[in-house]
Amino acid sequence: MEKWIIIWLLVLNVILILITIITNIRVKNFQLKNINFMKKLGNGNNLEEMIKEYINITNYVNQKSCMIEAEVKKIEKNMMNCIQKIGVVRYNAFNDVGSNLSFAIALLDADNNGIVLNGVYARDTSSIYAKSIILGESQYELSNEEKQAIKKAKENKKN
């Protein structure tokens, strides 16, 4: 009885060894076919290496894109402090001077902070005055022309 069990086990081992050998041969054939197939897809180049290279390039582009987005956000934040709104009013400061040579110019940022310049032209002299503007208001008394220039600047906001 033991003899038959040992014989069956030997036969079973031989069968398993044959199956393992056949399986290894099939795996090797599949690997060769796969390598040839990948080379054909890659026009003679190693497709796996090409994919790795494309992944590296994609990662690099993604990093650059993130850096560019961060820079754009910084620039947009800085732009909020730049002059974005301009209002100009020309007028006659004196009755005897024509051609609207006097002016008021408001230069404001996104939060309506900036300055208003008032250039007063007379026959013999010209003077320019500057007044600071904070949140659309000035601590100094404003002329009607300066108020109009600020109003125009607020309306001229470009988005």
Side-chain angles (χ1 to χ4, degrees):
M1 174 90 161
E2 286 180 19
K3 186 176 171 187
W4 286 107
I5 291 176
I6 293 175
I7 292 175
W8 275 106
L9 287 175
L10 283 174
V11 170
L12 189 61
N13 276 338
V14 169
I15 292 172
L16 288 175
I17 290 172
L18 287 174
I19 291 173
T20 304
I21 292 171
I22 292 170
T23 303
N24 282 339
I25 291 171
R26 286 186 176 178
V27 167
K28 291 288 182 185
N29 285 338
F30 176 76
Q31 287 175 336
L32 288 173
K33 287 179 183 178
N34 189 37
I35 289 171
N36 289 333
F37 175 73
M38 291 298 187
K39 283 185 178 180
K40 286 179 184 175
L41 282 180
N43 293 326
N45 299 322
N46 187 340
L47 189 61
E48 184 178 354
E49 290 299 319
M50 290 173 62
I51 290 172
K52 286 180 184 177
E53 182 180 343
Y54 288 135
I55 288 172
N56 289 337
I57 291 170
T58 302
N59 289 336
Y60 175 77
V61 169
N62 189 31
Q63 288 174 345
K64 282 292 188 184
S65 175
C66 289
M67 290 171 51
I68 290 170
E69 284 180 23
E71 283 298 316
V72 168
K73 286 180 182 177
K74 277 191 219 176
I75 291 169
E76 286 175 345
K77 184 177 178 184
N78 288 338
M79 288 289 297
M80 298 301 286
N81 297 324
C82 296
I83 294 172
Q84 297 183 11
K85 306 176 222 177
I86 300 173
V88 179
V89 173
R90 293 178 55 129
Y91 65 97
N92 286 327
F94 305 103
N95 290 336
D96 62 339
V97 178
S99 301
N100 291 336
L101 296 177
S102 296
F103 62 88
I105 299 176
L107 306 169
L108 305 176
D109 67 8
D111 296 324
N112 294 325
N113 298 319
I115 61 170
V116 64
L117 300 172
N118 193 347
V120 179
Y121 175 80
R123 288 197 188 273
D124 297 333
T125 62
S126 240
S127 301
I128 297 178
Y129 303 95
K131 298 177 185 174
S132 61
I133 305 298
I134 299 172
L135 300 175
E137 302 293 327
S138 178
Q139 66 183 18
Y140 305 103
E141 188 172 335
L142 298 173
S143 69
N144 288 335
E145 292 81 12
E146 291 167 333
K147 289 176 186 175
Q148 287 175 4
I150 291 170
K151 182 180 178 193
K152 280 186 175 184
K154 288 178 183 178
E155 293 170 355
N156 282 339
K157 181 178 181 180
K158 303 263 190 288
N159 287 334

